[in-house]
Structures are given as structure tokens and as C-alpha cells.
Amino acid sequence: QQNTFREKTSRLLVAFLQRPRAPIVNMIRRISTLASSRLVPSLAPTRLIGRRYTTPTAEQKVTFTFVNKDGSTKQISEPVGTNLLEAAHRNDVDLEGACEASLACSTCHVYLEDKFYAKLPEPTDEENDMLDLAFELKENSRLGCQVKLEPGLEGMVVRLPPATRNMAVDGYKPPKH
């Protein structure tokens, strides 16, 4: 009886191993590509922009303006797919981002113009939870780490709130991360 079981198992194993492996190899390749694109976004061959996939190029940039707390403005141009927090840090704009874009604070809180706010996807429940903690919350408030630049945001004006919950009253500015 044991021999019969071993024979059946051996035959099944041999039959499985003799089957073409191409579908299995292709499936493994697809899974590894998907995993690498989620774990290491820079390896991804495409990016989700709006609701369609496109291949990013160096020419795809969005020019927009930050309005600082003191009213001064800074016009910058950043690649499509960059979030507002990254753009602010690269261009010396005083947007804090204490949690480093992990959606665990509200220190990158910004105000967007209504026409551009309407072009963005709705905030997630997690973003809304953090926005509830933001200083001087308004209808057009978003977290800068959750707003990704896309071509439809060309010419947008992003205003910084007068303060954040994490900033000290004496004007202390935390160092960049």
C-alpha cells in the first residue's frame, strides 16, 4: 500500500515537472515586478497620474506657487508625481512635515485654490483624520504629503497656514529631515 502511494506521488511529481514552466515563470515575473514597484517606486516602469498610467519623462513638470506665512511667494517647477511636501523641501519652502510623509501628523497642512482642490481625488479617511488635528482647518485644506503633482495642477497657488500644531510659538524652525 505504501508503494502504491509513493508511485502515485512520484508520477504526479514527474508529470508536474514535465509541464511547460513558461506560465509559472511569467507569473513569478509579474508578481516580482508588481512587488518591486510597490516596495521601491523608483523601479516602477510607470506611474499612476490622475487615473491613467503614463511613463514619466524629464519634460513633465508642473509650475506652481507657494505663498508663505508672511505673504511672500515662491514659484517652483517640479516633476509630475512629486508631492507638495517633497517640492517644498527641495525648494526651501517652510513646510514642516514632521512625520516625513507617513500620514501621522498635520504639519504639512496647506490651503489650495478651490478650482485645483476640485481636480484632486477626495482625501482618504486617514488624511481626513489628520486634517482634523490641523491648525485653522478650512474647506480647501489638504496635507501636502498627499497631494501629488499632475499636469492639471499647472499654475496652482498653495498657501501655507499661519502656524502648525507642531511649531513652537517662539518662531523655532525645525531642521529639514
Side-chain angles (χ1 to χ4, degrees), residues 11-23:
R11 274 185 284 172
L12 287 172
L13 183 58
V14 168
F16 176 76
L17 293 175
Q18 289 176 346
R19 290 173 59 191
R21 291 187 204 160

Side-chain angles (χ1 to χ4, degrees), residues 22-73:
I24 294 170
V25 171
N26 288 339
M27 184 172 43
I28 291 170
R29 282 187 187 140
R30 278 188 271 160
I31 290 170
S32 66
T33 301
L34 178 63
S36 68
S37 68
R38 286 182 177 227
L39 297 174
V40 185
S42 62
L43 297 177
T46 58
R47 283 192 184 151
L48 181 63
I49 298 174
R51 289 191 163 65
R52 67 190 200 301
Y53 284 94
T54 62
T55 303
T57 63
E59 293 81 40
Q60 291 180 319
K61 289 199 171 197
V62 177
T63 302
F64 63 100
T65 304
F66 275 109
V67 178
N68 292 309
K69 297 168 190 159
D70 62 3
S72 63
T73 62

Side-chain angles (χ1 to χ4, degrees), residues 21-150:
R21 291 187 204 160
I24 294 170
V25 171
N26 288 339
M27 184 172 43
I28 291 170
R29 282 187 187 140
R30 278 188 271 160
I31 290 170
S32 66
T33 301
L34 178 63
S36 68
S37 68
R38 286 182 177 227
L39 297 174
V40 185
S42 62
L43 297 177
T46 58
R47 283 192 184 151
L48 181 63
I49 298 174
R51 289 191 163 65
R52 67 190 200 301
Y53 284 94
T54 62
T55 303
T57 63
E59 293 81 40
Q60 291 180 319
K61 289 199 171 197
V62 177
T63 302
F64 63 100
T65 304
F66 275 109
V67 178
N68 292 309
K69 297 168 190 159
D70 62 3
S72 63
T73 62
K74 187 166 201 172
Q75 187 175 40
I76 62 174
S77 185
E78 286 288 326
V80 168
T82 304
N83 68 46
L84 293 179
L85 179 62
E86 292 170 338
H89 286 183
R90 279 199 284 246
N91 291 278
D92 295 323
V93 174
D94 195 20
L95 188 60
E96 187 176 353
C99 72
E100 298 180 8
S102 65
L103 204 54
C105 75
S106 63
T107 59
C108 63
H109 169 223
V110 295
Y111 303 124
L112 304 177
E113 295 173 294
D114 290 336
K115 67 180 180 179
F116 292 107
Y117 185 95
K119 292 181 180 183
L120 295 170
E122 288 291 316
T124 63
D125 289 340
E126 293 83 4
E127 182 179 358
N128 279 327
D129 289 344
M130 290 298 111
L131 280 169
D132 287 341
L133 305 173
F135 185 75
E136 290 196 24
L137 185 66
K138 296 182 180 178
E139 289 293 320
N140 60 343
S141 291
R142 289 296 299 261
L143 295 180
C145 67
Q146 299 301 301
V147 177
K148 302 254 188 234
L149 295 175
E150 51 188 62

